[in-house]
């Protein structure tokens, strides 16, 4: 009986530890600079409404940069028509946390972003989230989710 109780206690402790938030050092797949390559917009049934491939012409690719200390940086390059505005990058800063397959990015000047991690490897991550209102409005309210794909 004592052995069964010890086993049950050990299993309970393992279950609790397994659900804890991982440290940024443990999340080594996510740490680093990820270039935006593709956005897929889906309806509520999972049907693709649109696929956008990243093409910044002569500008660098937009990116997400997950730092090992929990800091976050993203740059969104805008292709300007004026010579002095060529490839002007809008930089946003914040922090990030991950628990299992959930990723949260808290920006300093933008709304909180919640993602589900659909795929993660050494060279690709796929993040999915509820389609933002501006994206949903483009599809007359039919856009349910968007998947964003990044590569190293």
């Amino acid at each position: 009986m004592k052995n069964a109780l010890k086993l049950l206690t050990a299993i309970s402790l393992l279950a609790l530890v397994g659900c804890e938030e991982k440290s940024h050092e443990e999340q080594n797949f996510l740490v680093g600079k990820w270039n935006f390559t593709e956005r897929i917009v889906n309806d509520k049934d999972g049907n693709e409404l649109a696929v956008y491939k990243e093409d910044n012409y002569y500008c660098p690719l937009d990116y997400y940069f997950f730092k090992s200390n929990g800091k976050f940086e993203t740059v969104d390059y805008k292709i300007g028509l004026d010579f002095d505005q060529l490839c002007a990058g809008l930089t946003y800063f914040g922090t990030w946390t991950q628990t299992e397959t959930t990723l949260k990015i808290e920006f300093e000047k933008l709304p909180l972003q919640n993602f589900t991690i659909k795929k993660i490897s050494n060279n690709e991550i796929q993040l999915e989230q509820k389609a933002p209102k501006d994206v949903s409005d483009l599809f007359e309210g039919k856009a349910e989710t968007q998947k964003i794909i990044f590569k190293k």
Side-chain angles (χ1 to χ4, degrees), residues 70-129:
K71 300 288 184 187
F72 175 81
E73 173 185 318
T74 184
V75 174
D76 182 12
Y77 290 99
K78 300 294 182 195
I79 300 170
L81 297 177
D82 297 327
F83 187 73
D84 62 338
Q85 292 296 312
L86 291 177
C87 303
L90 299 173
T91 304
Y92 301 98
F93 299 95
T95 58
W96 65 278
T97 56
Q98 177 192 353
T99 53
E100 299 303 320
T101 59
T102 301
L103 171 65
K104 292 184 180 189
I105 301 174
E106 294 187 57
F107 291 96
E108 293 173 358
K109 297 181 180 181
L110 296 172
L112 172 71
Q113 297 285 308
N114 291 304
F115 298 96
T116 300
I117 299 170
K118 292 298 194 177
K119 178 182 177 182
I120 187 167
S121 68
N122 284 330
N123 62 356
E124 180 177 294
I125 54 173
Q126 294 182 9
L127 305 175
E128 187 174 79
Q129 70 179 163

Side-chain angles (χ1 to χ4, degrees), residues 11-27:
I11 291 172
S12 298
L13 287 174
L14 284 174
L16 287 174
V17 170
C19 295
E20 289 181 8
E21 186 175 296
K22 296 178 181 178
S23 72
H24 291 99
E25 289 77 25
E26 292 175 314
Q27 300 166 14

